[in-house]
Amino acid sequence: MRVGVLTGGGDCPGLNAVIRAIVRKGVQEYGYEFTGFRDGWHGPLEGDTVPLDIPAVRGILPRGGTILGSSRTNPLKAENGVRRVKENLAKYEVDALVAIGGEDTLGVATALSDEYGVPCVGVPKTIDNDLAATDYTFGFDTAVNIATEAIDRLHTTAESHMRVLVVEVMGRHAGWIALHSGLAGGANAILIPEQRFDLDQVCAWVESRFKIRYAPIVVVAEGAMPKDGDMVLKDQTLDSFGHVRLSGVGEWLAKEIERRTGKEARTTVLGHVQRGGTPSAFDRWLATRFGLHAIEAVRDQDWGKMVALRGTEIVRVPLRDATTQLKTVDPRLYTEAGVFFG
Ligand code: F6P
């Protein structure tokens, strides 16, 4: 049995831990061989491979990024994409594929598996934690820790200068990072894509914070939108899955707050810092367990499935369940956090 492994979409801490667990268990317990596909779906599409064996995965557990590389290539949009993927799997004698990715990468795995008979197993990753069917994705915990540390640091400098500091965190469609880091860091306002925000309300929170002689910290997810208006974008370029490049709402928000309240407001955009570096212990644990269970699913030839966390158990769910709907922040959780706003 030869198993192909790929990592697609935006990278996140913990990808290497998954790869390591898959290879270690696959080689040691099942006697499998592996082929690494480079740069997400680009690998099987173009036949771009890299050797993947136990020496190749030595020492990678704490390393961020992915030894396989990543991309947002969509083979379903490429000319003869499915045929080329199938031909390359045959050429490299790959019997099954493990795709590690988010909504887009796993969406491709779902189609290849359900519609074109390619034996695929999925592993959920994204710092955004917005994949349905799993309680958590790995990468999220690390991102939240990074954002929380940043908020802690920003509090002290905000206090020294009595400024408003706006922190823009990642989160395209879901505000999980903003909500968790905002709560953990004691933000005075948390703005998420799921709930359009009222600028007057945000300014009122900012002013009430100054009244008690504290400097406000506003955490905003990059996909958050004002009540009257649209998403703030840097540019309109689309990737091959049709996503625009986000970031810009933080800058816009600081300007508006300054204009309306007369208080100095600055922005820190955390951006890719949230995706880089070493994974947290929780993410290493989760990613490792996902890898162990994914290769078990391959052994059981349980195609079209994704490994998922439910409580403390790793279970298998249909890939389709994970990719048809996003897991967004429950309004009750957001309301719960409201006690700390202002
Ligand atoms: O989907 C994960 C994510 O980190 C989003 O939060 C963010 O919008 C996007 O990726 C950024 O992608 P890129 O790395 O292509 O800028």
Side-chain angles (χ1 to χ4, degrees):
M1 178 85 153
R2 176 171 286 275
V3 182
V5 182
L6 65 87
T7 53
D11 72 337
C12 80
L15 287 167
N16 286 327
V18 183
I19 299 167
R20 167 180 174 267
I22 290 172
V23 173
R24 286 285 295 273
K25 183 160 171 144
V27 172
Q28 288 170 211
E29 297 198 2
Y30 307 142
Y32 292 167
E33 291 182 309
F34 288 88
T35 295
F37 284 106
R38 247 191 254 270
D39 301 341
W41 289 109
H42 156 91
L45 186 67
E46 306 295 344
D48 195 354
T49 66
V50 54
L52 193 57
D53 51 16
I54 288 189
V57 299
R58 214 160 263 149
I60 66 172
L61 175 63
R63 262 173 59 191
T66 161
I67 58 164
L68 297 177
S70 191
S71 76
R72 293 190 192 275
T73 305
N74 184 353
L76 304 178
K77 290 267 173 71
E79 211 181 318
N80 299 318
V82 175
R83 203 190 72 207
R84 282 156 65 196
V85 167
K86 283 185 155 186
E87 281 172 2
N88 283 321
L89 294 182
K91 179 176 164 193
Y92 291 99
E93 299 179 328
V94 169
D95 306 297
L97 255 185
V98 180
I100 311 167
E103 181 201 355
D104 298 327
T105 306
L106 296 183
V108 173
T110 309
L112 289 179
S113 165
D114 294 5
E115 291 163 37
Y116 301 102
V118 178
C120 290
V121 164
V123 177
K125 75 81 230 189
T126 160
I127 62 164
D128 292 354
N129 197 38
D130 59 359
L131 272 181
T134 183
D135 289 352
Y136 285 101
T137 49
F138 64 89
F140 172 66
D141 182 67
T142 308
V144 168
N145 281 314
I146 292 167
T148 303
E149 195 201 330
I151 296 167
D152 287 347
R153 288 175 184 275
L154 291 169
H155 269 297
T156 64
T157 170
E159 298 293 320
S160 308
H161 295 269
M162 277 296 155
R163 288 173 174 150
V164 185
L165 287 183
V166 175
V167 190
E168 184 185 296
V169 299
M170 278 187 171
R172 188 176 279 275
H173 309 289
W176 293 110
I177 298 177
L179 183 68
H180 283 229
S181 64
L183 266 188
N188 310 112
I190 301 172
L191 311 177
I192 61 175
E194 291 87 340
Q195 310 252 347
R196 282 183 178 255
F197 60 87
D198 178 349
L199 205 46
D200 291 333
Q201 174 66 79
V202 176
C203 291
W205 286 331
V206 159
E207 284 179 323
S208 78
R209 195 70 188 160
F210 278 119
K211 272 195 195 118
I212 54 166
R213 298 192 169 280
Y214 283 106
I217 302 283
V218 177
V219 174
V220 59
E222 60 183 355
M225 280 181 281
K227 257 197 178 136
D228 318 301
D230 281 332
M231 201 175 257
V232 183
L233 301 175
K234 267 229 162 105
D235 65 50
Q236 303 287 334
T237 325
L238 297 183
D239 68 17
S240 74
F241 287 95
H243 300 306
V244 282
R245 199 177 285 178
L246 294 185
S247 182
V249 66
E251 202 56 53
W252 176 85
L253 195 60
K255 274 200 193 108
E256 283 300 315
I257 292 173
E258 191 166 300
R259 192 172 67 80
R260 288 168 183 239
T261 65
K263 303 283 185 197
E264 186 185 2
R266 302 281 188 90
T267 304
T268 301
V269 179
L270 293 182
H272 293 88
V273 169
Q274 294 158 99
R275 291 224 309 246
T278 186
S280 67
F282 178 85
D283 281 339
R284 295 183 204 186
W285 169 84
L286 182 58
T288 297
R289 292 195 69 208
F290 275 163
L292 297 175
H293 284 259
I295 198 66
E296 232 170 71
V298 169
R299 183 212 48 196
D300 297 343
Q301 307 200 358
D302 201 359
W303 312 128
K305 295 288 169 54
M306 183 189 87
V307 291
L309 181 71
R310 293 276 167 83
T312 55
E313 295 291 307
I314 307 288
V315 298
R316 291 178 203 164
V317 297
L319 261 171
R320 194 162 286 285
D321 289 1
T323 52
T324 40
Q325 217 192 334
L326 278 181
K327 183 182 67 189
T328 51
V329 172
D330 182 331
R332 284 173 307 174
L333 290 176
Y334 188 66
T335 307
E336 190 180 274
V339 73
F340 299 106
F341 296 174

